[in-house]
Amino acid sequence: MSENKIYRVGLGVAGGIAAYKAIEVLRLLQKSGCEVQVAMTEHATEFVQPLTFRALTENYVLVDDYAPENPDPIAHINFSQNIDLLLIVPATANIIAKFANGIADDFLSSTFLASTALVLLAPAMNTTMWEHAATQRNIAQLKKDGVDFVEPIAGELACKTVGTGKLEDVENIVNQALKLLAQSPKSKVQSPKYDHKDFKAKLNAQELETSDLRLETQDLLEEKILITVGGTREAIDPVRFISNYSSGKMGFALAEIAQKRGADVTVVCGATTVEAPENVKIICAISADEMHRSVIRELPDASIFIGAAAVADYRPKNVSDNKIKKTNQDILTLELEKTPDILLDVSENRHENLLIVGFAAETENIIEYARSKLEKKNLDLIVANDITKNGAGFNTDTNVVTILRRGDVDTIEIPLMSKHKLADKILDEVLSLRQKLKVKR
Ligand code: PMT
């Protein structure tokens, strides 16, 4: 970052075991040229001394506005209005609940209310607390309010369980913070690493493309769509996992377009690299097992299921409790076992009226393999990506696919187009199936 382009970040540290990682986040932000001021909750000071942050920032660390040694009598106002981003690391279930409900009973929660800066929360907590309906409700509320999240990852937690709730890698948190600052028109300065003009041009291109879509048509008003999105992560040990390149772009495009066409949309979301669309319910499920559980729980309410996620077919049979150490042996063998086949299970538990759409990502014999999945998994429709084609498959903004329908030898070839346009076409096909079924009855 060049000298005259400086972001001002308010780093809020809440009371969780991951509080010590905020030190690394602070160092990385400073290395990227950001000016950082730190505020802590009372509980956070049980985990890390304010003195550590004071030494690193050369600034008073705010914990309690009313503390006699606080040099600023209206600190929460001055702090909150002099930052471009409020970044909370770790965001505990408690601070998330306070933010979601507008409770301002300490310095950090008062700062959140008094600030118009961007807000990015990096949650870390025990899996059960993370998955609790109250926490997920609070997160959904904050997302609606415009707050951004760096989702926690799966791994071994302080309570010795393995599951989702571990703080995302500090580098990823800092990258997401910088990206958010660079992308936002609210930011006073732009990161030189991110060309704002280029970003604007891309946005306009996207706007042009979406203006082609028939979004004013509310033809999915009667549908409740459940979509799996992104890639799953299967833990090997507390720091490693098996995953794939899914970004979530295809699944999120389907969710966004379906919602705009009137559907009630629930996304069961694995690991993704792009932002989720607004006005859809998001349920985080990082491993195949978590995704399976969430889908089966939500399925009775759905009228359409779309499996756009890239779910791992296999996972390590034994997840090591400790980090696997390097030894003198050149070969390390991992034993893998099958994960649940979510799509197959959905189809085996199919209720009347449910339409099921699968995806197939293939590198050879595309149509043959896709048709075999369509039949074996008893799907209504399958979208086959030939991921060897340019602009198709994982982590692209575009796709090239073939759609196959149950009981129909003809295929529908869809040429290269944006994932949003493709989503519109897939939904057209689903709707046409729905209408055919209505006529049959
Ligand atoms: O997210 P993007 O970067 O935009 O990329 C989009 C995509 C390539 C991930 C997506 O378009 C896609 O093709 N998703 C399915 C990828 C895949 O894993 O295909 P598959 O052939 O392994 O699985 C077939 C179907 O079974 C899929 O609908 C999959 O969600 C489902 N499945 C697979 C395994 C499993 N254990 N459970 C499942 O439900």
Side-chain angles (χ1 to χ4, degrees):
M1 212 179 260
S2 65
E3 311 94 88
N4 56 349
K5 293 182 175 175
I6 295 171
Y7 292 126
R8 298 159 309 168
V9 178
L11 177 61
V13 186
I17 188 78
Y20 73 96
K21 293 195 180 166
I23 301 170
E24 193 53 30
V25 169
L26 165 66
R27 300 295 285 164
L28 288 176
L29 286 169
Q30 287 175 325
K31 271 192 197 157
S32 309
C34 297
E35 264 175 15
V36 188
Q37 278 194 80
V38 178
M40 301 175 78
T41 64
E42 205 65 63
H43 281 134
T45 64
E46 304 280 338
F47 294 94
V48 185
Q49 287 281 320
L51 189 61
T52 309
F53 292 110
R54 186 172 189 165
L56 293 170
T57 59
E58 294 172 20
N59 259 322
Y60 182 75
V61 173
L62 286 147
V63 179
D64 174 9
D65 302 45
Y66 306 109
E69 69 276 14
N70 177 2
D72 183 352
I74 46 162
H76 69 280
I77 302 294
N78 287 337
F79 181 98
S80 61
Q81 289 177 2
N82 285 304
I83 51 175
D84 302 306
L85 171 73
L86 178 64
L87 169 64
I88 310 293
V89 183
T92 56
N94 186 46
I95 202 79
I96 289 172
K98 283 192 195 178
F99 284 7
N101 291 286
I103 295 170
D105 63 352
D106 63 6
F107 180 78
L108 198 51
S109 49
S110 309
T111 298
F112 172 72
L113 279 193
S115 176
T116 56
L118 299 163
V119 182
L120 180 63
L121 305 189
M125 68 194 76
N126 158 278
T127 308
T128 313
M129 292 173 86
W130 170 252
E131 286 176 349
H132 198 285
T135 306
Q136 290 302 319
R137 203 168 47 240
N138 290 332
I139 289 170
Q141 181 58 51
L142 285 170
K143 282 184 179 171
K144 258 196 212 156
D145 297 343
V147 170
D148 281 278
F149 282 81
V150 191
E151 302 288 340
I153 55 177
E156 193 192 34
L157 305 171
C159 49
K160 297 289 172 220
T161 56
V162 175
T164 304
K166 196 174 156 68
L167 190 78
E168 174 60 286
D169 296 338
V170 288
E171 285 87 359
N172 289 344
I173 295 174
V174 171
N175 282 342
Q176 200 157 320
L178 294 174
K179 197 166 157 197
L180 192 64
L181 281 160
Q183 287 175 0
S184 170
K186 265 198 202 170
S187 301
K188 304 207 169 24
V189 286
Q190 283 96 48
S191 161
K193 282 192 204 139
Y194 207 95
D195 184 342
H196 202 67
K197 267 195 233 135
D198 185 40
F199 174 68
K200 274 269 176 69
K202 276 194 191 144
L203 253 189
N204 289 341
Q206 214 176 344
E207 269 162 24
L208 273 181
E209 271 230 71
T210 40
S211 68
D212 273 6
L213 306 174
R214 295 171 296 100
L215 299 177
E216 71 283 1
T217 325
Q218 296 286 287
D219 51 3
L220 292 172
L221 267 176
E222 286 173 24
E223 305 290 351
K224 289 193 163 191
I225 309 191
L226 179 61
I227 312 180
T228 61
V229 175
T232 61
R233 288 178 176 181
E234 310 302 328
I236 298 171
D237 68 9
V239 295
R240 305 179 179 96
F241 53 80
I242 298 175
S243 192
N244 56 65
Y245 295 110
S246 175
S247 60
K249 288 179 185 176
M250 187 67 245
F252 281 158
L254 279 158
E256 185 179 338
I257 302 297
Q259 189 276 329
K260 288 189 169 146
R261 284 172 63 167
D264 178 337
V265 180
T266 299
V267 168
V268 177
C269 191
T272 55
T273 58
V274 290
E275 216 161 290
E278 285 176 3
N279 302 323
V280 305
K281 178 178 166 193
I282 304 279
I283 298 169
C284 297
I286 297 295
S287 67
D289 239 6
E290 287 170 344
M291 195 171 265
H292 181 239
R293 274 201 303 275
S294 301
V295 166
I296 296 303
R297 196 181 55 229
E298 298 294 317
L299 194 61
D301 285 339
S303 62
I304 298 172
F305 175 78
I306 306 180
V311 185
D313 288 323
Y314 290 90
R315 65 179 165 219
K317 188 164 177 217
N318 299 304
V319 181
S320 171
D321 286 341
N322 295 311
K323 183 179 169 191
I324 298 172
K325 302 305 284 179
K326 192 151 94 180
T327 65
N328 290 335
Q329 286 175 332
D330 287 341
I331 307 279
L332 174 74
T333 308
L334 272 182
E335 203 179 352
L336 303 179
E337 64 179 6
K338 265 198 178 147
T339 56
D341 190 323
I342 303 168
L343 195 54
L344 183 65
D345 227 12
V346 165
S347 148
E348 286 176 350
N349 289 291
R350 176 195 282 265
H351 53 264
E352 209 198 338
N353 208 33
L354 182 72
L355 291 174
I356 307 179
V357 179
F359 269 77
E362 307 290 353
T363 53
E364 53 178 352
N365 306 326
I366 318 296
I367 306 300
E368 191 189 320
Y369 287 158
R371 191 167 295 285
S372 140
K373 282 176 187 166
L374 177 78
E375 285 164 8
K376 273 194 199 143
K377 300 194 187 191
N378 191 23
L379 312 176
D380 294 292
L381 195 141
I382 194 159
V383 182
N385 310 255
D386 176 351
I387 58 169
T388 61
K389 283 196 180 143
N390 272 344
F394 292 92
N395 200 21
T396 49
D397 292 324
T398 54
N399 214 347
V400 188
V401 303
T402 305
I403 297 181
L404 291 86
R405 291 160 297 184
R406 181 218 287 267
D408 191 344
V409 285
D410 292 336
T411 59
I412 306 169
E413 303 295 330
I414 312 246
L416 182 76
M417 63 179 63
S418 76
K419 284 184 172 167
H420 284 85
K421 264 195 179 173
L422 172 61
D424 213 29
K425 292 207 179 300
I426 294 170
L427 293 167
D428 284 348
E429 283 308 318
V430 178
L431 207 56
S432 125
L433 268 179
R434 169 73 77 222
Q435 267 134 21
K436 274 185 203 148
L437 285 177
K438 274 188 188 157
V439 173
K440 264 193 193 168
R441 273 197 215 122

